[in-house]
Amino acid sequence: MNGRGDVFTLVTAQLSGFLALLLLFAGTHKWLQRARTVSAVRSLARIPAESAGVLASAVAIGEITAGLLLVTSVTQFWGALFALCLWSVYLVLIARAISQGRAAQDCNCSFAARHRPLGRFHIWRNTALIGVAGAVMFAHGPGTGLWMPQSLLASLGLFVLYCTLDMAMTFDQRRGAEPA
């Protein structure tokens, strides 16, 4: 790699890989933690219990689908667009819950088993994820898939850093848990 375009392609592949890993793990987590996901969907979306199970399944399958679409350059744009839409809906639901004084509820948007109240961290995290998905979507082009070994390692590194921050915020409820 020796040109500006090559670096741009590599960074886009790394960000796309990170988002793919995040969505694949998040969707699988939501599927495996079904009861917690149904409860979170019901309380965040304010929908009847009968509909929450179907929507919880759709959310898990949607995240997994978006993650799979991000894996190759052929479908990367659509995966990024789908992810951007998912995180935008989550952002609106979380912001609404906080503004209505329902910050104590569980959003099941962490890999941790421990519940953390909604707060600024959730707002900033979703905003950042929307930004990264938008960047991948608009940077989409030939050769921006996960085929490069360097992008796989960097994607995994970004994912580990993301998980580390998420866990740190779970254990320190003094930071980011205040209402926005």
Side-chain angles (χ1 to χ4, degrees):
M1 305 218 156
N2 56 9
R4 183 175 178 202
D6 292 337
V7 170
F8 185 72
T9 298
L10 182 61
V11 170
T12 301
Q14 293 166 350
L15 292 175
S16 180
F18 158 69
L19 293 179
L21 286 170
L22 177 59
L23 287 160
L24 290 169
F25 274 87
T28 302
H29 167 77
K30 285 177 178 65
W31 190 264
L32 294 175
Q33 298 287 322
R34 179 143 174 84
R36 185 176 171 200
T37 303
V38 169
S39 175
V41 165
R42 183 170 181 225
S43 61
L44 272 177
R46 302 289 228 176
I47 59 172
E50 309 84 52
S51 305
V54 173
L55 188 55
S57 294
V59 166
I61 291 168
E63 287 183 349
I64 291 169
T65 301
L68 290 172
L69 289 171
L70 280 160
V71 172
T72 67
S73 61
V74 175
T75 57
Q76 189 177 70
F77 173 85
W78 298 108
L81 177 62
F82 196 9
L84 185 142
C85 292
L86 283 170
W87 284 316
S88 295
V89 170
Y90 299 164
L91 178 63
V92 168
L93 292 174
I94 289 169
R96 183 180 75 175
I98 292 169
S99 71
Q100 293 175 346
R102 297 183 291 121
Q105 71 186 57
D106 183 12
C107 68
N108 193 22
C109 47
S110 171
F111 297 129
R114 188 172 166 187
H115 168 61
R116 171 180 66 236
L118 298 174
R120 286 182 278 188
F121 174 71
H122 295 89
I123 299 293
W124 286 110
R125 178 184 60 192
N126 279 319
T127 302
L129 290 171
I130 290 166
V132 173
V136 168
M137 189 175 79
F138 288 111
H140 169 73
T144 55
L146 289 178
W147 55 269
M148 295 178 270
Q150 305 93 323
S151 64
L152 288 173
L153 291 174
S155 298
L156 186 58
L158 289 170
F159 180 68
V160 168
L161 288 172
Y162 174 90
C163 291
T164 302
L165 175 62
D166 186 63
M167 291 300 287
M169 294 307 293
T170 298
F171 291 118
D172 188 0
Q173 293 191 12
R174 293 170 297 173
R175 287 190 241 159
E178 308 84 30

